[in-house]
Every structure is written in C-alpha cells, then in structure tokens.
Amino acid sequence: MPLVPQHIKDLRPYKPGKSIEELKRELGLSKIVKLASNENPIGVSPLALQAMHKALTTVNRYPSPDAYELRRALAAKYDVKIENVFTGNGSEGIIAAIMRTFLLDDEEAITSHGSFVTFDVQAQSRGIKVIRTPLKDYRLDLQAMAERITPKTKIIYLANPNNPTGTIFTVSEFQNFIKKVPERVLVILDEAYFEFAHDAPTYPDSMQYRLDNVITLRTFSKAYGLAGVRIGYGFAHEELIANLMKIKLTFEPNTLAQMAAVAAMEDADFLEQTLHNNRIGKQFLYDLFKKVGVQYLESYTNFVTIVFESEKRVNTLFEKLLKEGVIVRPLKSFGLPNCIRVSIGLPEENEFFAQKLKKVL
Ligand SMILES: Cc1ncc(COP(=O)(O)O)c(C=O)c1O
C-alpha cells in the first residue's frame, strides 16, 4: 500500500491569488492594487477590531468550544434556535466538516463546472466520485444537476450567488429543483455573497425554506470584512447540526474570530458602507466594460467576471495588468479559461484598474 493514497496524489489543490507582498517582491513595484480574492476593500469593522483587541488578553485560554455567544447572536438575528446554528473556520471549514460527517466512501457528490473549487478539493480528498454538470449561460444548471442524481448521490453543492461567475439561480429554478431532490440527499446552499444579493427580487433566500436536508452556509469573510480570522456559519436541521458538532475540531472557530463576528454583526454602519461601496463600484466597472467593449456577466456579488474570446487573450491581459501593478484572477483553475474575475475595490482602486485596463487593451 502506498503511503499517500492515489486520490490525494491526483488532487490538484486550490491556488489562492498572489499576495501583494509576493508581487511587490517579484516585480519591484511600489503600488499594487489587488482585486483578486473578493475581499472587503473597506477594511475591518471598527467594532470587530475593538472586540479582537479586548479578546487578545484571553488567548491563553481555549475558545468556547460551542461558540455559544456567537451562535446565540446568530440564532436571534435569523430567528432560529441555537441548535440550528453551526460555526466554523470560514465556510470552507464548515464544508470540510460536512465532508467528514456525512459522506461514506462509495457515495457521490454533484457540483457544477465553473463553481467554487474548494468544494471539489474537499470532496476529492475523501476519494469519492464528484459529478460536475456544465454551466448554462454562465449560470448553474439546476435541472441538469437534478438529472444526475443517482442512488449513490449524497451531497449536492450549490453556490448562490456562484463564484466565479457572480450569477444567481432564481426562486422558481430552486423550487423546481428541490422537488426533485430526495430527502436522503444533503444540499449545501453556499450563500457566501448573500448580503450583496438578497435584495434582488428573484434571489431565493434559503432561510425562507427551512428544509430538513438543506444546509445554508454564510460567512463573515466578505460583507463583514473578516476573511483573515476565518469565521463562517451555517443553518440546518438540529439533527444535522448536532452531528456536525461532534465532528468539528474541538476549538474551532478561534476566540478572536468568535468575538470579532459577534461585534461585526452589530456594526450596521460598516455593513452599509460596504454595500454602498460595492453598488457604486459595480456600476463603475459595468460602465468601464461597456466603454472599452469588454463583455461582462451581471453580478450579484462583490466581483465582476469578464469574458474574452480566448485563454490566450486572458493570459496576455493578466500578465500585462500584473506588470502595471493590478492583480486580477484568471479563471482557468475554475474551468473558465476565457474569463477574468475582478473584485470590486475602493473607488480609487477601481479607477487605477480602469486606467491600466485601458492601457493594456
Ligand atoms: C462561494 C464561496 N463559498 C465560500 C467561500 C469561502 O469563504 P470563507 O472565507 O468563509 O471560507 C468563498 C470565498 O471566496 C466563496 O466564494
């Protein structure tokens, strides 16, 4: 028997975008604008900062193992019981816990091409079969996904809005889909960009459905600006949560993350600033892309994906933008080699990107 199992040897890991420091070193640039990882460009909520400062003096102690205060606050905000709430090391950490808790070796998962790669990596790390349906007009094809359900299907992963396309599936598409999903199949509804999408009239907020086989995932990494402390949360039937609680790392999430999240939830001003910046930034990018004749996908998130005629064109533009000090995300590793994802930045960052894009085009 080999030391490393074959399915791990074969696994291609998710590669995050280059860091600002890395690029400064490599290219000897002084100004770099990073629009590559869908982070919050505003910064960190002042209330969350304060809470983390306060919590620093307690880190000689282990965190609350059941993240009691945070789960209580989330339960109150979303009008569910604490037993319906789960928290983890980012939604990514929760996806990992779901994989460990519910999957058997001969079961299958369904996801889409052109969707969030972390899910694939986690599923493959369990050595199970992962089925991927094609996107349809850059949107998840829920009908095709439902058609691929077999007696072995255990998990279906839906990111809504989807990363990296920024698109959504609608209320009626979801309602048609869920009718076709047997109750023995767990649906992960990853709503990492919920705050940016929930005002859209056709967006299905999964919390309105309260289905026993659906787990909703959300995160403090995006709208709440806490990507670096790793804190995500999920809602589901209490039986699912009770079993997840048995399997999660005992002291996940960490103390700073728990405290920061409780405070960030109370910082309505920060959230409003974030959403405002995103609205105007998105419109700025739409206008720019129209002006320079670049095709873009309508986005329900904090990024906009642009479409080119070929992978070659994408690579050239990406390299040229890098040399100009702008980091964006080419989407080959997400299965969309002719696309680039641009995170929405601060107005001056968007302006810098616009100047450089015009130059390199
Ligand atoms: C669809 C989706 N889900 C989950 C995540 C990860 O979020 P977290 O930072 O909470 O792990 C991301 C981050 O980019 C995402 O795009």
Side-chain angles (χ1 to χ4, degrees):
M1 285 292 253
L3 200 56
V4 182
Q6 196 57 43
H7 67 274
I8 301 292
K9 275 193 184 159
D10 293 344
L11 210 159
R12 277 186 298 144
Y14 175 69
K15 273 209 198 120
K18 285 196 185 222
S19 77
I20 294 178
E21 291 316 314
E22 231 178 313
L23 211 69
K24 273 188 181 163
R25 267 198 314 273
E26 279 177 21
L27 299 176
L29 292 166
S30 54
K31 173 161 177 158
I32 288 188
V33 166
K34 184 185 176 204
L35 303 174
S37 300
N38 307 338
E39 293 149 342
N40 192 322
I42 305 260
V44 185
S45 137
L47 294 189
L49 268 181
Q50 250 176 34
M52 284 191 280
H53 275 298
K54 203 166 144 212
L56 274 175
T57 55
T58 70
V59 296
N60 56 319
R61 305 285 177 198
Y62 284 106
S64 158
D66 58 357
Y68 182 76
E69 281 214 27
L70 175 57
R71 287 172 61 233
R72 199 183 52 167
L74 285 163
K77 176 164 178 191
Y78 290 95
D79 192 22
V80 292
K81 290 184 292 185
I82 191 167
E83 291 83 3
N84 299 117
V85 185
F86 187 75
T87 57
N89 289 343
S91 25
E92 190 184 36
I94 304 180
I95 292 173
I98 292 172
M99 297 298 173
R100 294 201 304 276
T101 308
F102 300 110
L103 272 175
L104 297 174
D105 289 348
D106 62 344
E107 291 179 327
E108 298 175 358
I110 302 176
T111 179
S112 175
H113 281 289
S115 191
F116 189 50
V117 180
T118 292
F119 175 78
D120 296 52
V121 174
Q122 297 290 339
Q124 281 172 280
S125 75
R126 292 284 283 102
I128 61 150
K129 183 169 168 190
V130 181
I131 292 158
R132 295 176 194 85
T133 56
L135 289 172
K136 197 172 173 185
D137 296 331
Y138 293 101
R139 295 166 69 240
L140 297 188
D141 186 347
L142 295 196
Q143 193 175 327
M145 293 175 98
E147 283 164 10
R148 299 298 301 272
I149 295 172
T150 71
K152 288 193 166 175
T153 305
K154 176 49 111 15
I155 292 183
I156 304 179
Y157 174 78
L158 306 175
N160 200 38
N162 186 41
N163 178 14
T165 56
T167 51
I168 58 167
F169 54 79
T170 63
V171 171
S172 64
E173 285 168 329
F174 179 67
Q175 285 174 347
N176 284 333
F177 165 81
I178 203 73
K179 274 189 243 159
K180 297 177 199 148
V181 179
E183 277 189 12
R184 60 172 177 79
V185 176
L186 179 66
V187 177
I188 302 179
L189 244 171
D190 183 343
E191 297 179 342
Y193 302 94
F194 169 80
E195 292 80 4
F196 304 103
H198 73 101
D199 281 345
T202 56
Y203 179 73
D205 170 353
S206 64
M207 290 299 286
Q208 305 285 323
Y209 296 95
R210 313 248 167 132
L211 297 155
D212 288 354
N213 60 334
V214 171
I215 178 157
T216 296
L217 298 188
R218 294 193 186 157
T219 183
F220 286 95
S221 294
K222 310 291 174 185
Y224 291 96
L226 292 175
V229 287
R230 315 303 302 126
I231 178 78
Y233 55 105
F235 301 107
H237 187 278
E238 51 218 62
E239 194 195 335
L240 297 184
I241 300 293
N243 284 289
L244 274 170
M245 292 293 278
K246 292 186 216 162
I247 296 305
K248 81 172 187 78
L249 303 180
T250 315
F251 295 111
E252 161 191 15
N254 69 72
T255 304
L256 298 184
Q258 292 186 31
M259 295 307 164
V262 171
M265 274 171 66
E266 285 162 12
D267 200 339
D269 283 351
F270 180 81
L271 182 60
E272 184 41 46
Q273 272 177 46
T274 299
L275 297 179
H276 174 72
N277 181 72
N278 201 65
R279 271 191 299 273
I280 54 169
K282 189 160 71 174
Q283 192 57 50
F284 176 87
L285 291 184
Y286 284 175
D287 293 343
L288 166 71
F289 297 140
K290 275 185 214 145
K291 213 179 300 165
V292 297
V294 165
Q295 186 195 344
Y296 64 88
L297 306 178
E298 191 184 348
S299 168
Y300 293 81
T301 60
N302 62 351
F303 59 85
V304 181
T305 289
I306 46 184
V307 182
F308 295 92
E309 63 281 6
S310 68
E311 179 180 346
K312 195 165 158 238
R313 178 89 168 123
V314 162
N315 290 342
T316 315
L317 285 174
F318 171 67
E319 290 299 333
K320 285 186 174 171
L321 282 170
L322 266 190
K323 291 199 178 102
E324 295 291 333
V326 178
I327 321 178
V328 290
R329 194 83 159 106
L331 296 181
K332 185 175 181 171
S333 60
F334 289 79
L336 297 170
N338 62 325
C339 297
I340 289 178
R341 193 186 67 193
V342 185
S343 303
I344 296 166
L346 294 170
E348 57 272 26
E349 294 174 322
N350 301 331
E351 183 58 54
F352 187 74
F353 165 69
Q355 280 169 19
K356 302 299 182 185
L357 182 70
K358 284 180 195 157
K359 184 171 168 194
V360 303
L361 279 173

